[in-house]
Amino acid sequence: MKTLSKLRKMKVEGEKIACLTAYEASQAYWGVEAGVDVLLVGDSLGMVVQGHENTLPVSLDDMVYHTQMVQRKNHQVWCVADLPFMADADVSQGLAAASRLMKEGLANMVKVEGGKRVLSLVRALTDLGVPVCGHLGLLPQSVQLKGYQVAGREKQAAQKLLDDAIALQESGAEMLVLECVPASLAKTVTDRLSIPVIGIGAGVDTDGQVLVWHDVLGLTLGKAPKFAKNFLQEADSVQTALAQYVADVKHQRFPGPEHWMGE
Ligand code: KIV
Ligand code: NA
């Protein structure tokens, strides 16, 4: 069902939320068939589809195009689309970008990376009726400045991340992605917030998990990240691999300790 209230209810009832990226119609179709609860049109498409080094070259036109393809074959599940790098540089640009993702792409929610910097945009979007997903921890759009590394390991950084998470929720965010943070910190944030928290490389105690389509099926271009798992290794079809991913998230068999990014 394409409603936020269903996702909120899942958090309250402790049913894990299975989220998967999708960038085009067939991925959306088979993701939905496998029973995912949320489809994310991530700007990771810059790397896994377009072949770039990182997500920075992805344009708003690209995001609209891929969201359109996904939504043509998704009539059932909540769809989140990323605001690409720099589309959130100021509030009016962010509003214009979200407008296109919602009106042309038919996204249900937009995702923005970062904490304090994006609070006014999150508030403005929420006031206009646009559901917003936050994204804290490792921020791929800040890779040039900070690299790819586990975030929130030190006490001060952990406290800042928790403060940012609370501020995002208070500004109206309805969901939060935590990427590559210690499992214990992810648990603290998940317990503290009333909105669903979806983890990637953040341990098993978040309200749900997200993985990139290519990582689930062993199609990563290069070395797979530590938090990923190739579900096709023990499955006889793409469909069973996707269904296994969903089942393993639901039963907390994924992620295992070998997929955590450290305590
Ligand atoms: O772009 C993406 O796929 C993402 C997820 C990894 C959370 O932002
Ligand atoms: Na992203």
Side-chain angles (χ1 to χ4, degrees), residues 25-257:
S26 71
Q27 295 167 344
Y29 181 87
W30 290 113
V32 170
E33 284 288 306
V36 305
D37 303 297
V38 176
L39 287 173
L40 169 65
V41 187
D43 62 354
S44 51
L45 68 87
M47 298 160 87
V48 295
V49 177
Q50 298 175 328
H52 291 297
E53 273 299 299
N54 52 48
T55 62
L56 307 192
V58 176
S59 70
L60 180 58
D61 283 343
D62 295 337
M63 290 308 303
V64 170
Y65 174 64
H66 286 277
T67 307
Q68 286 174 330
M69 289 191 280
V70 164
Q71 290 297 66
R72 276 180 210 135
K73 280 291 173 239
N74 166 36
H75 308 294
Q76 250 161 290
V77 313
W78 191 252
C79 174
V80 185
D82 272 347
L83 282 193
F85 180 55
M86 294 301 265
D88 56 6
D90 63 45
V91 170
S92 63
Q93 266 188 69
L95 294 179
S99 171
R100 289 197 58 201
L101 290 172
M102 304 273 293
K103 287 190 175 195
E104 297 172 48
L106 305 182
N108 303 113
M109 178 179 241
V110 300
K111 179 158 77 58
V112 283
E113 290 186 15
K116 246 189 209 86
R117 183 184 67 77
V118 299
L119 293 181
S120 50
L121 175 59
V122 173
R123 170 52 59 201
L125 287 166
T126 303
D127 286 347
L128 284 162
V130 178
V132 180
C133 180
H135 184 149
L136 294 173
L138 191 161
L139 304 178
Q141 291 178 8
S142 301
V143 62
Q144 302 287 16
L145 196 61
K146 295 181 178 159
Y148 292 114
Q149 54 185 336
V150 178
R153 265 206 222 272
E154 288 81 30
K155 203 172 164 204
Q156 238 182 339
Q159 184 60 50
K160 183 176 176 299
L161 193 147
L162 178 60
D163 292 344
D164 280 346
I166 293 167
L168 282 166
Q169 175 174 290
E170 284 173 353
S171 300
E174 289 284 359
M175 192 148 78
L176 176 66
V177 166
L178 284 183
E179 180 164 355
C180 292
V181 308
S184 56
L185 173 60
K187 180 175 181 355
T188 303
V189 173
T190 302
D191 292 345
R192 177 66 177 73
L193 297 193
S194 56
I195 59 173
V197 176
I198 311 295
I200 175 164
V204 75
D205 291 319
T206 50
D207 299 308
Q209 300 291 331
V210 57
L211 278 184
V212 166
W213 169 277
H214 296 66
D215 293 340
V216 170
L217 298 174
L219 299 171
T220 314
L221 307 182
K223 190 171 171 284
K226 181 170 184 261
F227 54 70
K229 179 174 173 183
N230 174 6
F231 285 84
L232 198 51
Q233 219 149 32
E234 289 161 26
D236 56 10
S237 69
V238 167
Q239 287 81 356
T240 27
L242 296 175
Q244 195 60 51
Y245 165 63
V246 172
D248 283 4
V249 169
K250 298 281 176 193
H251 295 104
Q252 298 177 58
R253 289 187 298 252
F254 177 83

